[in-house]
Amino acid sequence: MKLAGFLLLPAGWVIVLSAIALLPPGLARGAFLLAGLGVEALGLVLVVRAHMPEPPPEGARR
Amino acid sequence: MGPPALSPFAAGICGLLLLLIPFAYAGLALMNSGLGRSRSAVHSLMASLAVVGVASLVYVICGSAFQGYPGRAAFALSAAGKDWNWIGAGRLFFGGLDFDSGSGAALAACFGMFAAALAAVIPLGAGEERWRLGSAAISTAVLAGWTYPLFAHWVWGGGWLAGLGTRFGLGAGFVDAGGAGAIQAVGGLAALSVTWLLGPRRGKFSADGMPTAIPGHNAVFVTFGAMLALIGWFGLNSAAAILFYGASPARIGLIGVNTVLSAGSALLTAALVTRTRFGKPDASLSANGWTAGLAASSAGAAFQVPAEALMVGLVAGVLVTLSVEWLELHLKIDDPGGAISVHAVGGMWGLIAASFLGHFPAGAGEGQWMAQLTGVATLLGFIFPMIYGLNWTLDRIARFRVALDGERQGMDLHELGANAYPELVSHLEDVSQR
């Protein structure tokens, strides 16, 4: 999960760069930029979850 | 939006402002020490001194060459029919810089040295009480010699981020007038990577994952450190605006006002939020709020009216308070100094706020929000994975975390051989029960 997250982060960044480099000014450019940020956010979520400790097993709780 | 040549008067003023910047990392160092336990107090400050020294040295050796300055030699990649200026091609050891003429390039190199040191002190707040001194120094060398100069080139050295306006029609390009991204967010993201690699302090989280409060040992350090940092931020915000955005020295007054307003309003909202949640305002969180206001002000203090700076600070104060709690309670991140919330969250909020709360020079139009978001995307999508990967590799070579015995003894005794407060019995939980 950690690796997937760290791959999604630069993937989202590349989408952002592609949007500003390849698309003309307008709605599509803004939409793709936000989509790239969304991919980054997903990657960050995966990285965060990969670093969170495992919850204790059910039987261990009182 | 390249800076015009500096007049002798502006160069002189800028030189004086640069000398204020060390107060920023002195303040942060004091805050970090105060927010940790007494068993690691002097180790925290010693680490701050060490990383300042290492960062300054490495930046002079190679960082300045990578950061560069607009109009000086640089390397560019060609893609999508455009040149992407990605790294400076300067000389090592500040070679080729004329310090006698007060040139922008020479002053920018000095600024970069102080800024790299500030960025290096930030992660120490997250690694309190368990990050080995030698490992912190090595990590700092990479941060100051590569990571910070690379992003700083993109923002201030004539790189592609600053050129988003002229090349792609995105407003005035990515604007970061005092280092909210290049210094604060880079440092804060480094803090996040360090926290994850180190893991939490012993005893911070119980077996079922609930966080235990480990209060700092000296709230006076924390609050005075915040006040000291303000002086440094005056220098930081003003010098960067003059050097990289062609601001007139006369603007220093406005920048100072905006900096104070942002910090003050952030402190007040942090105090209000903590009073509402906990019954009384929390001094440490309020001081963190103040510093988050400073971090957020660094994006646009030179280009905002006072009311806008006030709004930036108001939001920063709320964000940092909620972020500190959320990171600890929900994400199980142990960040004793609040470095991630203050600098990463605060800095990125400042960058985003500059999209709609700022008045940029002529030529800037629509698309400023896209330029700012591109900068934030770059920080999260490229700089953070790079920092994490580099620190992960360094952790394999020079173990970051101190041994368990060392953590129990305290970093002062374990790494430095002497406690900061030898007359105090500070390890109450380790004293044998009667």
Side-chain angles (χ1 to χ4, degrees), chain A:
Chain A
M1 195 191 294
K2 197 187 297 184
L3 185 60
F6 276 120
L7 287 175
L8 278 179
L9 283 169
W13 179 58
V14 169
I15 295 173
V16 169
L17 290 192
S18 303
I20 61 174
L22 300 176
L23 295 174
L27 197 60
R29 186 192 244 185
F32 270 90
L33 189 147
L34 291 173
L37 275 167
V39 172
E40 285 192 25
L42 182 61
L44 198 57
V45 166
L46 292 182
V47 169
V48 165
R49 287 181 69 87
H51 283 96
M52 286 173 67
E54 293 287 333
E58 277 299 318
R61 298 187 188 187
R62 295 188 53 88

Side-chain angles (χ1 to χ4, degrees), chain B residues 258 261-262 264-266 268 304-316 357:
Chain B
N258 286 344
L261 279 179
S262 185
S265 57
L268 291 173
Q304 289 163 342
V305 297
E308 291 167 337
L310 187 78
M311 283 189 274
V312 169
L314 286 175
V315 174
L357 292 174

Side-chain angles (χ1 to χ4, degrees), chain A residues 2 6 9-11 13 16-17 20-22 25-26 29-30 33-34 37 40 44 47-48 51-53 56 61, chain B residues 80 84 154 160 164 168-170 196 207-208 330-332 369-370 373-374 376-378 380-382 384-385 388:
Chain A
K2 197 187 297 184
F6 276 120
L9 283 169
W13 179 58
V16 169
L17 290 192
I20 61 174
L22 300 176
R29 186 192 244 185
L33 189 147
L34 291 173
L37 275 167
E40 285 192 25
L44 198 57
V47 169
V48 165
H51 283 96
M52 286 173 67
R61 298 187 188 187
Chain B
W84 300 70
W154 295 351
W160 64 273
L164 288 176
F168 300 104
L170 297 184
W196 272 334
D208 57 359
H330 298 285
L331 302 189
K332 314 298 180 199
W369 68 274
M370 281 197 275
L373 284 183
T374 302
V376 171
T378 304
L380 289 173
F382 180 80
F384 174 59
Y388 188 98

Side-chain angles (χ1 to χ4, degrees), chain B:
Chain B
M1 189 165 80
L6 291 177
S7 67
F9 176 71
I13 292 289
C14 199
L16 289 173
L17 290 167
L18 291 179
L19 298 179
L20 294 180
I21 298 175
F23 282 103
Y25 42 86
L28 289 188
L30 210 54
M31 290 181 76
N32 289 342
S33 181
L35 286 166
R37 286 176 289 191
S38 59
R39 68 184 72 180
S40 303
V42 74
H43 181 273
S44 176
L45 286 164
M46 174 71 184
S48 297
L49 281 174
V51 303
V52 166
V54 168
S56 304
L57 175 65
V58 173
Y59 184 84
V60 168
I61 291 172
C62 61
S64 168
F66 296 147
Q67 180 173 341
Y69 191 71
R72 293 176 75 88
F75 292 110
L77 296 169
S78 189
K82 297 255 194 292
D83 286 335
W84 300 70
N85 185 333
W86 73 281
I87 198 162
R91 288 162 56 182
L92 304 180
F93 289 96
F94 277 15
L97 294 173
D98 183 1
F99 288 93
D100 291 324
S101 67
S103 73
L107 288 167
C110 298
F111 175 90
M113 188 184 75
F114 292 125
L118 178 57
V121 168
I122 293 169
L124 293 178
E128 283 279 320
E129 302 193 45
R130 59 219 194 278
W131 199 9
R132 292 170 60 234
L133 187 57
S135 310
I138 295 170
S139 175
T140 293
V142 173
L143 182 73
W146 173 250
T147 312
Y148 160 77
L150 179 69
F151 190 75
H153 176 76
W154 295 351
V155 179
W156 294 325
W160 64 273
L161 266 177
L164 288 176
T166 49
R167 289 166 176 276
F168 300 104
L170 297 184
F174 178 70
V175 173
D176 184 7
I183 302 170
Q184 308 303 322
V186 166
L189 292 171
L192 178 59
S193 73
V194 163
T195 305
W196 272 334
L197 290 167
L198 285 171
R201 287 170 289 177
R202 183 179 69 95
K204 177 63 187 175
F205 294 100
S206 64
D208 57 359
M210 288 305 294
T212 310
I214 302 181
H217 84 284
N218 197 322
V220 174
F221 277 12
V222 178
T223 43
F224 182 67
M227 196 166 287
L228 202 62
L230 174 67
I231 303 171
W233 250 266
F234 286 146
L236 194 67
N237 289 349
S238 303
I242 294 172
L243 279 171
F244 305 121
Y245 296 94
S248 152
R251 193 159 271 250
I252 291 172
L254 175 67
I255 295 171
V257 165
N258 286 344
T259 305
V260 172
L261 279 179
S262 185
S265 57
L267 173 111
L268 291 173
T269 47
L272 194 61
V273 169
T274 52
R275 187 183 184 284
T276 305
R277 291 181 66 78
F278 309 126
K280 291 190 197 301
D282 184 279
S284 300
L285 277 173
S286 301
N288 272 341
W290 170 279
T291 318
L294 291 175
S297 78
S298 286
F303 301 114
Q304 289 163 342
V305 297
E308 291 167 337
L310 187 78
M311 283 189 274
V312 169
L314 286 175
V315 174
V318 174
L319 279 178
V320 74
T321 318
L322 298 179
S323 170
V324 165
E325 187 180 331
W326 191 66
L327 287 180
E328 185 171 290
L329 203 56
H330 298 285
L331 302 189
K332 314 298 180 199
I333 289 176
D334 182 17
D335 179 9
I340 302 163
S341 301
V342 168
H343 300 280
V345 174
M348 283 192 277
W349 157 243
L351 292 174
I352 294 169
S355 309
F356 49 89
L357 292 174
H359 307 271
F360 298 107
E366 290 201 3
Q368 189 60 42
W369 68 274
M370 281 197 275
Q372 298 304 108
L373 284 183
T374 302
V376 171
T378 304
L379 283 163
L380 289 173
F382 180 80
I383 296 295
F384 174 59
M386 183 173 69
I387 289 175
Y388 188 98
L390 289 169
N391 277 332
W392 183 90
T393 307
L394 289 175
D395 187 26
R396 296 289 175 288
I397 299 167
R399 191 185 80 247
F400 273 16
R401 185 158 184 146
V402 72
L404 190 58
D405 272 349
E407 199 177 337
R408 188 180 292 121
Q409 269 185 328
M411 300 295 278
D412 286 359
L413 205 54
H414 183 73
E415 292 226 305
L416 303 178
N419 277 326
Y421 311 104
E423 294 167 5
L424 296 181
V425 175
S426 56
H427 304 186
L428 291 177
E429 70 273 21
D430 290 337
V431 173
S432 55
Q433 299 291 323
R434 291 179 183 229

